[in-house]
Amino acid sequence: MFVFPAQIRDLAILIARLGIGIIFFAHGWQKLFTVGLGPTAAGFKAMGVPLPTLSAWFACLVEFVGGAMLIVGLLVPIAGVLLFLDMLGAFFTVHIGHGLFVGSGGSELVIALGVGSLLLAAVGAGLYSIDHAIAANRSTTPHGPATIP
């Protein structure tokens, strides 16, 4: 079985985190600051999304904050699961009946972003991340009581 060397694997995770994170961050930014939360909720209502205001809040915050978390590599398993759930909701409430291709309102983008987020949640943030820096710091910090020399 072929396995990528660790450095290439971590670089691939970084590239995936950046690509997926930037897309989510941009969509969250658009919903929050370009379109606005009210019009986003109204659009959700028009598309038949249940609880459109609550759903709009969830989508805006998860995409904006979760996208940023993927970009910097912070709490990636949590962000990845939340972003997957966001895309699962978009798939079942908006895209499921419109085929695959995004040009006709299809589900290809939400599938790709959703499964990519789920994969990142499963494999973690990789070496080039805040998650790794925190874990490395914890493993080198003594856990006993502080002593004064």
Side-chain angles (χ1 to χ4, degrees):
M1 174 170 85
F2 176 78
V3 178
F4 282 109
Q7 290 174 323
I8 293 176
R9 179 186 162 276
D10 285 312
L11 183 60
I13 292 170
L14 172 64
I15 292 167
R17 277 192 4 248
L18 291 174
I20 294 169
I22 288 168
I23 292 169
F24 273 119
F25 184 82
H27 278 260
W29 178 279
Q30 180 185 40
K31 288 177 179 75
L32 282 169
F33 303 113
T34 304
V35 174
L37 186 61
T40 297
F44 280 18
K45 183 177 182 177
M47 290 184 278
V49 174
L51 303 169
T53 301
L54 182 62
S55 296
W57 269 105
F58 179 80
C60 290
L61 293 177
V62 166
E63 291 172 17
F64 183 69
V65 175
M69 291 169 73
L70 289 186
I71 291 167
V72 299
L74 178 63
L75 302 174
V76 167
I78 295 168
V81 167
L82 290 173
L83 290 163
F84 170 74
L85 293 173
D86 180 43
M87 293 298 95
L88 194 62
F91 176 80
F92 282 112
T93 61
V94 178
H95 298 279
I96 194 168
H98 299 282
L100 182 64
F101 299 108
V102 73
S104 60
S107 56
E108 66 182 330
L109 182 61
V110 298
I111 291 171
L113 290 172
V115 299
S117 298
L118 185 61
L119 182 60
L120 288 171
V123 301
L127 178 64
Y128 310 111
S129 66
I130 293 175
D131 283 352
H132 179 77
I134 291 169
N137 187 43
R138 282 188 184 155
S139 69
T140 60
T141 303
H143 292 100
T147 57
I148 299 174

